[in-house]
């Protein structure tokens, strides 16, 4: 099953989140069933990223959004674990600083977009400026409502430089969120992740849902599509996100750059000289017959 087709928000369409099955797990029956595919996918992802890094003609921007405990951190960890850290960056967007608030909402985002050859993951993003900002009236509706178009233009500009943009909305049910909060309370290794604000935000579930549905409807574009990822099962979430990234990279037809030197000549002359005389540190080719 091509999960891209199944999970993409078709540009111009509107998703009603209550119609989405957050526990969907495709043709797999369990995480054990998906394990081999997940591992093979991670290997392919790593080698595709290596080509992207070497070729330096494309960049990939992965945007993660979702309610508290939807799995943004876990997805980031899973995807990045498959890649060479040298070609990746992760940026988490928190509450804006005083200085950031003195600028337009994209000012703090732009410097973190990936250059050619790089993969960047945004854990939250400029979409917070039409989500939390809207839900909590942090700016007037007249301001946030104009941001969808500004975001689409901004993303279009990035794609014109060669940045491919994949946006994943991790969708869990309120029941699953509460269960994850409970696990965080119980597990000393995860207690640091929970706070009062998680419970307070939960009270705004319906307002967030409306804001998410608008974001998906207005900002899923042919150049930067949104995917709704059923995320109640962490293993399926990881599988879906990494499959979509892998297929997208695969279609770029990435090519490692051709060597800029004559490999046959280096092998025949320079390498052979050092093999013949290990002391020949300068590998003087004049001592060989060329
Ligand atoms: P966390 O992801 O749990 O570390 O929390 C980060 C917090 O920063 C969340 O509560 C976000 O809603 C908040 N945040 C991120 N971006 C913005 C923004 N542009 N305006 C207001 N709050 C934001
Ligand atoms: Mg949080």
């Amino acid at each position: 099953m091509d999960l891209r087709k199944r999970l993409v928000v078709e540009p111009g369409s509107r998703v009603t989140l209550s119609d989405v099955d957050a526990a969907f797990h495709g043709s797999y029956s369990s995480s054990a069933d998906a394990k081999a595919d997940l591992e093979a996918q991670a290997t392919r992802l790593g080698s595709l990223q290596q080509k992207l890094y070497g070729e330096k003609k494309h960049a990939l921007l992965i945007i993660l959004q979702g309610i508290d405990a939807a799995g943004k951190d876990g997805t980031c960890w899973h995807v990045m674990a498959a890649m060479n850290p040298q070609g990746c960056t992760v940026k988490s967007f928190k509450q804006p600083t005083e200085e950031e608030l003195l600028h337009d909402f994209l000012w703090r985002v732009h410097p973190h977009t990936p250059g050619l050859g790089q993969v960047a993951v945004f854990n939250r993003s400029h979409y917070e400026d039409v989500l939390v900002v809207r839900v909590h009236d942090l700016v007037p509706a007249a301001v946030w409502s104009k941001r969808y178009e500004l975001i689409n233009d901004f993303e279009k500009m990035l794609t014109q430089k060669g940045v491919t943009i994949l946006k994943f909305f991790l969708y869990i049910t309120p029941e699953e969120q509460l269960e994850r909060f409970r696990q965080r309370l119980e597990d000393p290794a995860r207690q640091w992740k929970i706070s009062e604000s998680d419970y307070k935000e939960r009270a705004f579930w319906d307002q967030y849902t409306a804001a998410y549905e608008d974001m998906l409807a207005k900002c899923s574009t042919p150049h930067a599509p949104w995917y709704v990822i059923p995320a109640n099962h962490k293993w399926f979430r990881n599988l879906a996100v990494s499959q979509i990234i892998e297929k997208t990279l695969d279609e770029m037809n990435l090519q490692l750059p051709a060597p800029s030197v004559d490999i046959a000549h280096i092998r025949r002359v320079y390498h052979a000289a050092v093999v013949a005389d290990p002391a020949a540190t300068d590998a003087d080719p004049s001592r060989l017959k060329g």
Side-chain angles (χ1 to χ4, degrees), residues 88-135:
C88 304
T89 55
V90 178
K91 173 66 186 168
S92 298
F93 290 94
K94 311 279 182 189
Q95 281 177 354
T97 62
E98 257 177 63
E99 191 190 16
E100 285 167 352
L101 286 171
L102 295 174
H103 293 80
D104 70 84
F105 76 106
L106 294 170
W107 180 79
R108 68 172 182 156
V109 177
H110 205 165
H112 301 286
T113 58
L116 301 179
Q118 293 283 318
V119 177
V121 178
F122 285 180
N123 184 341
R124 302 188 190 267
S125 65
H126 41 290
Y127 283 97
E128 290 295 326
D129 291 279
V130 291
L131 294 168
V132 64
V133 165
R134 163 177 167 168
V135 168

Side-chain angles (χ1 to χ4, degrees), residues 61-75:
L61 172 59
I62 298 165
I63 295 180
L64 302 174
Q65 286 290 164
I67 205 121
D68 293 306
K72 298 183 292 298
D73 292 355
T75 306

Side-chain angles (χ1 to χ4, degrees), residues 68-69 72 124 184 193 195 197-198:
D68 293 306
K72 298 183 292 298
R124 302 188 190 267
R184 288 180 181 186
K193 281 193 148 199
S195 69
S197 84
D198 291 323

